[in-house]
């Protein structure tokens, strides 16, 4: 099988990730719960992973990073943990349901009101709308760093500066960009950063985390065991303990640490250049094929390695099934959990077929993908 569904989950990981998980399964006990070698091994794994994440994201204090089980939990922590009744929140039509549904929930409960930044036909945000939508009760701007549907990258520096100027929280979802694009929380004025481990950080599923700038308080979603302050009636209030109730996924975090170490050793720039080369190769190979429509802004190749397409008016699910059954190529179809962007692009009924590339894909695989789309398009068009 040729796997082009890396925006959902990277399938091929560095070998070091597999080894780290297996070693942790054998040698890691329960972090902060005891002083045995096994418990200390677990504590060491978790602490060292915080340090790696701090290095990756330009975070000055690693204790501001808390672990979660995925980006969705991180975003729910942020959205359900910082807003007050009467707050106004600005987001965009690019967003994943991991942002939209928690916001809709608070809106339904009468806690917040929401404004949306629109985009053009290429899926590029209309940035001039951002400042226009800021009101006296605006509390935050929350958005993705890169669209999981088009691969377009959001200008977070521009939005971060606006948040700083208007004293707004800047909450950023980096599920599609972490490990591919350079991210510095200080430089981009990011107050809360939400990430998942199982995509371009090469970690296993069940890993993720949240960075919270000093001075920002988040109400926890859950409380319970922490390994410290056992006799207090309230859960510990300091970071990261306040957001880490219960036993962490130490085995998964060990794999995440190995994935981040691989990224830091290889260099984000090298990873980005290779993935963008694969994406460009695929784009150039299919863009002239009759009947193929490609979505997103390809005038700008500062993007994550996603190419999303349709062939004529053929249902995207049928195209994806044929690619899998006849060519052994795994892609992603459906709504991609991005309903507002599909609505904007006019693809709600047909859906789209998404190809997403990884550092571990090859030029040979991309050529097979191009040939499959060409053959499929000729067959369908005829």
């Amino acid at each position: 099988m040729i796997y082009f569904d890396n925006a959902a989950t990277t399938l091929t990981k560095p070998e070091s990730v597999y080894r780290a998980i297996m070693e942790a399964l054998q040698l890691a006990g329960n972090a902060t719960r005891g002083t045995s070698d096994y418990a200390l091994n677990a504590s060491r794994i978790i602490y060292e992973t915080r340090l790696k994440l701090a290095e990756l994201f330009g975070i000055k204090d690693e204790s501001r990073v808390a672990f979660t089980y995925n980006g969705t939990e991180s975003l729910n922590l942020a959205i359900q943990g910082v807003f007050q009744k009467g707050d106004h929140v600005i987001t965009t039509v690019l967003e994943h349901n991991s942002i939209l549904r928690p916001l809709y929930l608070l809106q339904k409960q009468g806690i917040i009101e929401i404004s949306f930044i629109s985009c053009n036909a290429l899926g590029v945000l209309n940035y001039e709308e951002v400042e226009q939508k800021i009101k006296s009760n605006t509390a935050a701007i929350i958005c993705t760093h890169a669209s999981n549907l088009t691969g377009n990258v959001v200008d977070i520096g521009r939005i971060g500066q606006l948040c700083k100027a208007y004293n707004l929280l800047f909450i950023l979802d980096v599920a599609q960009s972490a490990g591919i694009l350079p991210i510095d929380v200080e430089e981009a004025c990011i107050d809360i950063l939400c990430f998942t481990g199982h995509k371009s950080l090469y970690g296993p599923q069940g890993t993720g985390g949240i960075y919270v700038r000093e001075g920002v308080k988040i109400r926890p979603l859950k409380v319970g065991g922490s390994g410290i302050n056992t006799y207090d009636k309230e859960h510990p209030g300091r970071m990261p303990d306040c957001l880490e109730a219960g036993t962490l996924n130490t085995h998964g975090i060990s794999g995440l640490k190995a994935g981040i170490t691989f990224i830091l050793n290889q260099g984000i720039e090298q990873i980005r250049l290779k993935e963008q080369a694969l994406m460009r190769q695929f784009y150039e190979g299919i863009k002239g094929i009759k009947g193929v429509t490609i979505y997103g802004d390809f005038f700008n190749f500062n993007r994550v390695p996603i190419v999303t397409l349709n062939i004529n008016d053929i249902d995207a699910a049928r195209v994806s099934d044929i690619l899998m059954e006849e060519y052994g190529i795994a892609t992603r179809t459906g709504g991609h959990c991005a309903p507002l962007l599909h609505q904007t692009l006019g693809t709600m009924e047909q859906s789209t077929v998404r190809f997403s590339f990884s550092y571990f894909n090859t030029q040979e695989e991309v050529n097979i993908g191009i040939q499959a789309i060409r053959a499929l398009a000729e067959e369908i068009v005829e």
Side-chain angles (χ1 to χ4, degrees), residues 1-27:
M1 183 180 68
I2 296 174
Y3 188 80
F4 289 146
D5 193 19
N6 294 282
T9 286
T10 52
L11 185 67
T12 303
K13 319 281 188 186
E15 284 294 327
S16 56
V17 172
Y18 308 133
R19 291 196 301 271
I21 294 170
M22 289 304 300
E23 289 173 6
L25 284 168
Q26 296 173 306
L27 300 175

Side-chain angles (χ1 to χ4, degrees), residues 278-337:
L278 294 172
M279 172 187 62
R280 182 184 286 269
Q281 176 189 348
F282 184 73
Y283 171 76
E284 295 292 340
I286 68 168
K287 69 176 183 179
I289 299 174
K290 185 179 179 181
V292 173
T293 300
I294 303 172
Y295 303 92
D297 178 17
F298 285 87
F299 296 103
N300 183 354
F301 270 88
N302 179 32
R303 47 188 292 110
V304 294
I306 289 172
V307 180
T308 300
L309 60 88
N310 270 320
I311 301 177
N312 278 5
D313 59 354
I314 305 303
D315 185 79
R318 180 187 166 199
V319 174
S320 187
D321 285 347
I322 294 171
L323 286 169
M324 184 71 257
E325 293 167 6
E326 297 187 12
Y327 298 93
I329 297 173
T331 58
R332 168 74 189 279
T333 187
H336 305 91
C337 299

Side-chain angles (χ1 to χ4, degrees), residues 132-205:
Q132 295 169 7
K133 293 187 183 293
I134 295 174
K135 306 195 298 185
S136 60
N137 63 331
T138 303
I141 299 176
I142 177 168
C143 68
T144 185
H145 189 190
S147 167
N148 75 317
L149 178 55
T150 64
N152 293 350
V153 172
V154 171
D155 186 348
I156 59 172
R158 183 172 179 176
I159 294 177
Q161 285 301 319
L162 269 177
C163 287
K164 184 176 181 180
Y166 284 90
N167 196 29
L168 308 177
L169 287 177
F170 184 22
I171 304 172
L172 188 66
D173 171 11
V174 297
Q176 293 297 330
S177 59
I180 298 174
L181 301 177
I183 299 166
D184 188 304
V185 297
E186 300 291 335
E187 208 173 89
C189 303
I190 299 165
D191 296 295
I192 300 175
L193 184 84
C194 301
F195 63 91
T196 193
H198 67 99
K199 299 182 190 285
S200 48
L201 292 181
Y202 304 119
Q205 295 175 357

Side-chain angles (χ1 to χ4, degrees), residues 63-317:
S63 73
R64 306 306 302 179
V65 177
F67 290 105
T68 64
Y69 291 96
N70 45 52
T72 299
E73 184 179 21
S74 300
L75 287 161
N76 271 268
L77 265 171
I79 293 168
Q80 298 192 52
V82 299
F83 296 125
Q84 308 290 336
K85 188 173 179 61
D87 281 346
H88 170 244
V89 181
I90 298 172
T91 189
T92 84
V93 297
L94 309 184
E95 306 313 316
H96 190 280
N97 276 332
S98 294
I99 285 178
L100 295 178
R101 285 177 173 166
L103 287 177
Y104 289 150
L105 177 63
L106 294 186
Q107 183 185 50
K108 183 178 180 181
Q109 293 170 344
I111 295 173
I112 65 169
E113 55 176 318
I114 311 168
S115 292
F116 292 92
I117 307 304
S118 67
C119 67
N120 64 20
L122 295 177
V124 178
L125 283 181
N126 295 316
Y127 290 98
E128 67 279 2
E129 293 182 11
V130 181
E131 192 165 13
Q132 295 169 7
K133 293 187 183 293
I134 295 174
K135 306 195 298 185
S136 60
N137 63 331
T138 303
I141 299 176
I142 177 168
C143 68
T144 185
H145 189 190
S147 167
N148 75 317
L149 178 55
T150 64
N152 293 350
V153 172
V154 171
D155 186 348
I156 59 172
R158 183 172 179 176
I159 294 177
Q161 285 301 319
L162 269 177
C163 287
K164 184 176 181 180
Y166 284 90
N167 196 29
L168 308 177
L169 287 177
F170 184 22
I171 304 172
L172 188 66
D173 171 11
V174 297
Q176 293 297 330
S177 59
I180 298 174
L181 301 177
I183 299 166
D184 188 304
V185 297
E186 300 291 335
E187 208 173 89
C189 303
I190 299 165
D191 296 295
I192 300 175
L193 184 84
C194 301
F195 63 91
T196 193
H198 67 99
K199 299 182 190 285
S200 48
L201 292 181
Y202 304 119
Q205 295 175 357
T207 60
I210 184 170
Y211 156 77
V212 183
R213 178 179 58 78
E214 187 173 0
V216 176
K217 296 290 185 183
I218 292 185
R219 297 182 298 274
L221 282 176
K222 56 188 178 182
V223 295
S226 61
I228 59 171
N229 300 352
T230 294
Y231 300 104
D232 291 351
K233 292 182 178 180
E234 294 185 356
H235 196 77
R238 69 172 186 265
M239 282 286 291
D241 308 277
C242 60
L243 302 181
E244 290 183 345
T247 298
L248 293 176
N249 178 13
T250 305
H251 309 133
I253 291 170
S254 181
L256 178 61
K257 174 190 165 189
I260 298 167
T261 300
F262 174 85
I263 292 166
L264 293 171
N265 288 343
Q266 294 296 120
I268 281 186
E269 183 65 8
Q270 180 177 333
I271 292 171
R272 184 182 68 84
L273 288 174
K274 180 177 179 182
E275 292 185 347
Q276 287 189 339
L278 294 172
M279 172 187 62
R280 182 184 286 269
Q281 176 189 348
F282 184 73
Y283 171 76
E284 295 292 340
I286 68 168
K287 69 176 183 179
I289 299 174
K290 185 179 179 181
V292 173
T293 300
I294 303 172
Y295 303 92
D297 178 17
F298 285 87
F299 296 103
N300 183 354
F301 270 88
N302 179 32
R303 47 188 292 110
V304 294
I306 289 172
V307 180
T308 300
L309 60 88
N310 270 320
I311 301 177
N312 278 5
D313 59 354
I314 305 303
D315 185 79

Side-chain angles (χ1 to χ4, degrees), residues 352-372:
T352 56
V353 182
R354 184 183 70 188
F355 287 72
S356 49
F357 307 98
S358 164
Y359 184 77
F360 293 101
N361 285 125
T362 66
Q363 292 180 342
E364 291 74 21
E365 289 176 328
V366 171
N367 280 330
I368 293 171
I370 293 168
Q371 293 162 14

